[in-house]
Amino acid sequence: MKILIVDDETNIRELMHRYLHLDGIDSDCAENGLSAQRMLKDELYDACLIDLKMPGMDGNSLIEWIRSEGFRMPIIMVSAHGEISDAVSALKQGAQDYIVKPFDPEELVIRLKKLVEAQNLRNLVENETRNTTVDDKQIFVGESPSIRKIKDLVARIAETNSTVLITGESGTGKEVVARDIHNSSLVKGGPFVAINIGGVPENLLESELFGYEKGAFTGAANRKTGMFELASGGTLFLDEIGDMPLSLQVKILRVLQDKRITRLGGTDPMPINARIIAATNKDVEQMVREGKFREDLFYRLNVVRISIPPLRERREDIPLLAAGILRRFNRQMGHRVEGFTSEALSMLTSHDFFGNVRELENILERAVIFSDTPEIQVEDLDLRGSVSMRTHDKEKEETKIDLSDGKSLKDVEIDTIIRALHRWEGNRTRAAQELGISRRTLINKIAENNLNL
């Protein structure tokens, strides 16, 4: 970090230079605005400390020149008592902060570091936003220790054909990791076929996976190729494997063991050579203990385990993720939003994001639509509609139903479903997550009880 100190008082310049040096910060000194102009043209600085009152070119005029020349480094205005109104006008000219003489050296250093870190972060985000050489949907973004570990693991298993189980909360990017594995693997030239187990009705799931022969059942007018066949020579991604019914789990186990499938209505087994990657947002080990998931299938899938942490546990990745998402929305919508203000980035990195990357995408999509400035501002980020799961957990505790009031278990179930759907404004996926059931199960219960929601 290198700072430019601009002050006409020699003792003040030397004091600030000494304070910064003691903290390991390099600095140069200029005695007036003209000297500062020459130095700024010859040297790169991370920030400026500028005195407000100087002979010749005063602090406000220097700030105006700095911004007109396109310099973007943070500026702290240094003012004396009685000059606060002038300092406020300096903020309007482009200074980020001001400090009043006599000042606390420790406070000055803290403010300076904070501004420089914020600017460096903005520069990083804007560089990422301008980089159009990357397909954002195909790369797992992040530089936090946990994400570096995942990237290293992906690289290590790239040349194997081992089955992989990816776990993590909804919206953390499990499919993105699965695609990264595929794109780094020996079968990257083959197809990547994905199926969301929880999104397919149970009575259709087997035929989607294995396909069927013509005449296998009423309505089977033609042969259908299943997902295992479509993924031949590539990767089959079984998303939300925890929603797979027990009756089908044994058939998946047999496929993993024998590397063969038989279409519904068929008699001849066919070899398959697709790599299997499974994912779930559920605690599969607990499901095994409860008898809801076959232990032998779990061990077949869990050869290599990748656990993705929630976004709130890797906040340092939020700026890079936001930059990639912003770049994608700019491209899709034809917008040219360059980045984020420091305040907007700070608000994003402090948000809990219980919906993880998917929630971040939703917030930024709205921000890009409504932004009228080159940078996304705080007011563009509508975080009010982003409700913390902890709030809902608290609401669930507060709305527990007492069976002593004469209600049947069926009535309690219906009431619980209605309350969850109301809390999530009809969002069935979120309501199902809160209730601890699959989205398909929730839809079946809504239909079974004729709930007009």
Side-chain angles (χ1 to χ4, degrees):
M1 185 189 303
K2 192 167 187 179
I3 310 301
L4 178 62
I5 301 168
V6 188
D7 199 301
D8 63 312
E9 296 184 51
T10 304
N11 62 328
I12 296 294
R13 291 198 308 271
E14 291 179 352
L15 279 173
M16 286 194 284
H17 177 75
R18 192 177 306 126
Y19 291 149
L20 297 179
H21 179 73
L22 289 173
D23 215 86
I25 300 174
D26 192 16
S27 63
D28 290 336
C29 296
E31 60 187 13
N32 55 50
L34 293 175
S35 295
Q37 287 179 332
R38 288 194 298 270
M39 296 172 75
L40 285 165
K41 289 178 180 178
D42 295 335
E43 187 70 54
L44 292 175
Y45 294 98
D46 295 292
C48 292
L49 294 169
I50 300 177
D51 185 30
L52 179 59
K53 297 294 185 182
M54 294 184 293
M57 177 179 284
D58 64 8
N60 274 329
S61 299
L62 178 58
I63 293 173
E64 185 179 1
W65 177 85
I66 288 173
R67 295 309 183 214
S68 68
E69 290 294 309
F71 295 109
R72 302 185 60 193
M73 78 284 285
I75 297 172
I76 295 181
M77 173 61 69
V78 182
S79 65
H81 287 298
E83 299 173 347
I84 301 301
S85 60
D86 292 331
V88 172
S89 69
L91 295 177
K92 295 180 180 179
Q93 293 284 356
Q96 274 74 34
D97 199 358
Y98 71 89
I99 194 163
V100 179
K101 299 177 185 177
F103 51 82
D104 179 357
E106 187 175 346
E107 181 185 357
L108 173 64
V109 171
I110 289 172
R111 290 196 194 184
L112 193 57
K113 285 183 175 180
K114 184 177 179 181
L115 285 174
V116 171
E117 287 171 3
Q119 184 61 43
N120 289 341
L121 194 57
R122 288 177 65 196
N123 292 341
L124 175 64
V125 169
E126 289 174 14
N127 288 338
E128 288 291 316
T129 303
R130 286 192 292 268
N131 178 10
T132 58
T133 63
V134 178
D135 185 348
D136 312 296
K137 296 294 281 186
Q138 304 297 321
I139 291 184
F140 195 61
V141 175
E143 291 298 331
S144 61
S146 58
I147 301 309
R148 286 175 181 265
K149 185 177 179 180
I150 289 174
K151 289 180 177 179
D152 180 61
L153 188 54
V154 168
R156 294 184 66 170
I157 64 175
E159 296 186 2
T160 74
N161 198 37
S162 300
T163 305
V164 181
L165 178 62
I166 305 172
T167 58
E169 292 180 5
S170 179
T172 49
K174 295 187 289 295
E175 183 172 344
V176 179
V177 173
R179 288 184 181 274
D180 266 4
I181 295 171
H182 171 77
N183 291 334
S184 303
S185 72
L186 297 174
V187 295
K188 61 185 177 183
F192 179 90
V193 178
I195 179 171
N196 187 320
I197 303 296
V200 181
E202 188 172 334
N203 61 333
L204 298 178
L205 188 54
E206 186 173 357
S207 63
E208 286 294 316
L209 288 169
F210 297 102
Y212 53 78
E213 298 288 355
K214 179 178 179 181
F217 50 83
T218 303
N222 298 290
R223 172 187 288 176
K224 176 182 173 63
T225 303
M227 295 292 189
F228 277 103
E229 285 184 81
L230 290 173
S232 183
T235 300
L236 176 60
F237 177 54
L238 302 174
D239 197 8
E240 300 309 340
I241 194 75
D243 290 336
M244 181 170 287
L246 280 167
S247 58
L248 190 55
Q249 289 179 25
V250 66
K251 297 182 180 180
I252 299 297
L253 175 63
R254 191 173 299 121
V255 172
L256 294 177
Q257 290 173 336
D258 301 340
K259 303 295 183 183
R260 293 174 178 273
I261 64 161
T262 303
R263 297 193 191 103
L264 295 183
T267 56
D268 298 325
M270 297 176 296
I272 58 108
N273 63 340
R275 181 181 196 165
I276 307 300
I277 301 176
T280 182
N281 61 6
K282 296 185 176 180
D283 185 343
V284 192
E285 285 93 337
Q286 181 63 31
M287 292 181 68
V288 169
R289 288 191 290 270
E290 295 173 353
K292 296 178 180 178
F293 200 90
R294 292 182 63 99
E295 185 175 18
D296 45 8
L297 177 57
F298 169 70
Y299 288 124
R300 280 283 178 178
L301 294 172
N302 195 39
V303 176
V304 177
R305 179 74 161 266
I306 297 178
S307 298
I308 306 177
L311 196 51
R312 60 188 174 277
E313 293 180 8
R314 52 184 184 101
R315 297 178 188 273
E316 60 266 50
D317 290 332
I318 291 175
L320 283 176
L321 281 163
I325 293 167
L326 179 58
R327 179 171 63 244
R328 174 154 41 90
F329 285 141
N330 275 338
R331 187 167 60 244
Q332 291 174 356
M333 300 179 189
H335 288 215
R336 297 184 64 182
V337 181
E338 297 173 0
F340 304 82
T341 64
S342 300
E343 295 79 8
L345 267 181
S346 177
M347 178 176 283
L348 286 174
T349 53
S350 63
H351 186 62
D352 278 340
F353 288 109
F354 281 90
N356 294 296
V357 180
R358 192 172 296 129
E359 181 183 346
L360 176 61
E361 288 178 329
N362 292 342
I363 289 170
L364 294 185
E365 182 175 7
R366 181 192 183 282
V368 171
I369 291 171
F370 289 101
S371 178
D372 295 321
T373 58
E375 294 182 316
I376 288 178
Q377 314 286 321
V378 167
E379 52 267 29
D380 298 324
L381 300 174
D382 184 11
L383 301 182
R384 294 169 301 172
S386 178
V387 187
S388 166
M389 287 290 290
R390 283 178 291 192
T391 301
H392 289 280
D393 291 341
K394 183 178 179 182
E395 289 176 357
K396 286 195 293 181
E397 287 294 320
E398 294 173 348
T399 56
K400 283 183 178 178
I401 302 167
D402 188 356
L403 289 176
S404 64
D405 62 4
K407 288 186 177 181
S408 68
L409 284 173
K410 192 69 173 176
D411 291 335
V412 172
E413 180 183 70
I414 292 172
D415 200 3
T416 303
I417 289 172
I418 291 172
R419 287 173 185 270
L421 285 165
H422 282 171
R423 276 194 291 273
W424 288 107
E425 299 179 349
N427 187 315
R428 297 182 181 187
T429 300
R430 287 288 182 87
Q433 289 172 354
E434 177 185 312
L435 294 169
I437 60 178
S438 69
R439 185 175 185 275
R440 182 178 64 242
T441 300
L442 176 60
I443 292 171
N444 290 340
K445 287 185 178 294
I446 291 172
E448 175 187 324
N449 294 290
N450 295 316
L451 301 179
N452 296 317
L453 299 170

